[in-house]
Amino acid sequence: MIDWGRQPEMNDDEVLRTLFAHRLADEPLPPAVLERVTHSVLTEVQQNLVPAALPPVSRSATLLVRLERFRSWLGSLPPNQTLLLAGAAAVAAMVLIIGVSRITPRPLTAIAEVAGGNATVLSHHTSKFHVQKDGDVLKLRQGDQVLTAEGAVRLTHFPDQVAIIEPGAYIELTRLDEAGGGHQLALTLHDGIVHSQINTPLQANDEYVIRTPGVAVSAVGTDFTVEAVSPQETIVKTMAGQVQVTMGEQVVTVGPGQEVDAVLGQTLKLQSDGD
């Protein structure tokens, strides 16, 4: 038997050799020596059995590995579980699409009906021309342009608001919005006549404006026409209600049965139907 209490101080290697030489299994180890042996063994394991650091793997390679594992897992599923998984994925995709569509605002559109002949529409979204025929119904977005030939286009933008683009006119839908809880519409009339009918008075955040070169015609609730005679001349006629005509610093209100011939560089003057 070894007298462990009388042994001189030995290093770890010497302790291990002594232990193996005297058949350690024949008698229990003293606690102090057992602790030293355990520490030595753990140190040896850490130094020799820890794997070397793996080279960094790119994100794409990691993704490919995961996809391959996922594909293998799918292939191991029985047919009934595969069908259930496919159905669940389809439902999840549908819910995601519905959620995104609710979050993403849709562009406003105005319904356009062609009557009496052809009209050409230039789509701002696609930058392509489309010739629309009598009876066609389409949706216009902000930025779209309409050129009428022998036909007319009835533009329904907001409730109780209608703009009739007469034959031989050229307009651009420059604003179509619902900012601030109101309805905003702006048309730029390059040539021809637009007949507007606003059957419900506009509210504080509403706006209805027709612009021609140098002139802006805004309405509150009325029936009126705006004619772009030339780049220098615009004629505004009111059948019901009132409209406000602005040319530079000049502003006049045109009431029922009145009209104004706005010529750039001249004074705005109101005229009655009998004049």
Side-chain angles (χ1 to χ4, degrees):
M1 178 180 297
I2 301 175
D3 186 359
W4 295 102
R6 298 180 180 179
Q7 290 295 322
E9 188 68 24
M10 295 184 293
N11 58 37
D12 293 339
D13 292 338
E14 292 173 342
V15 170
L16 290 175
R17 284 194 295 271
T18 302
L19 290 173
F20 282 106
H22 291 84
R23 298 182 180 180
L24 296 178
D26 294 340
E27 58 181 276
L29 295 177
V33 176
L34 181 60
E35 182 178 356
R36 294 178 63 184
V37 171
T38 303
H39 176 74
S40 298
V41 172
L42 291 178
T43 302
E44 188 71 15
V45 168
Q46 287 181 336
Q47 292 177 352
N48 298 290
L49 298 183
V50 175
L54 297 177
V57 181
S58 65
R59 292 184 178 180
S60 59
T62 303
L63 180 59
L64 290 176
V65 172
R66 291 178 179 177
L67 289 176
E68 183 63 28
R69 289 178 179 176
F70 182 69
R71 189 178 67 176
S72 300
W73 175 72
L74 287 178
S76 65
L77 294 178
N80 58 340
Q81 292 185 3
T82 303
L83 290 176
L84 290 176
L85 183 62
V91 172
M94 185 179 299
V95 171
L96 179 62
I97 293 173
I98 294 175
V100 172
S101 65
R102 290 182 177 180
I103 296 174
T104 305
R106 296 181 179 179
L108 295 178
T109 58
I111 302 299
E113 303 175 57
V114 182
N118 296 340
T120 302
V121 176
L122 172 60
S123 172
H124 175 72
H125 179 67
T126 62
S127 299
K128 294 182 179 180
F129 285 98
H130 298 278
V131 177
Q132 308 294 333
K133 299 180 180 180
D134 182 18
D136 287 349
V137 178
L138 62 147
K139 293 182 179 180
L140 298 181
R141 295 182 181 181
Q142 180 174 298
D144 291 349
Q145 302 178 44
V146 178
L147 296 87
T148 57
E150 68 279 5
V153 174
R154 179 185 177 91
L155 191 64
T156 305
H157 25 84
F158 296 116
D160 294 328
Q161 298 180 19
V162 176
I164 301 174
I165 306 168
E166 302 286 355
Y170 170 31
I171 68 103
E172 180 179 357
L173 185 54
T174 49
R175 186 180 185 189
L176 187 63
D177 203 351
E178 290 184 343
H183 297 156
Q184 297 85 38
L185 175 84
L187 300 175
T188 297
L189 179 60
H190 299 282
D191 192 17
I193 301 174
V194 171
H195 183 184
S196 300
Q197 296 175 330
I198 303 175
N199 299 317
T200 300
L202 304 185
Q203 303 303 311
N205 294 326
D206 295 341
E207 182 183 61
Y208 186 97
V209 179
I210 297 180
R211 293 185 174 87
T212 63
V215 177
V217 182
S218 57
V220 175
T222 186
D223 184 349
F224 67 102
T225 62
V226 178
E227 180 180 3
V229 179
S230 70
Q232 290 78 35
E233 183 180 6
T234 300
I235 298 176
V236 180
K237 296 181 180 180
T238 303
M239 280 69 78
Q242 294 181 335
V243 296
Q244 182 175 283
V245 178
T246 303
M247 185 177 68
E249 299 296 328
Q250 302 181 68
V251 179
V252 297
T253 300
V254 185
Q258 294 181 326
E259 68 175 69
V260 62
D261 189 357
V263 180
L264 296 181
Q266 298 185 15
T267 303
L268 291 177
K269 293 181 180 181
L270 290 175
Q271 298 177 353
S272 299
D273 289 341
D275 296 344

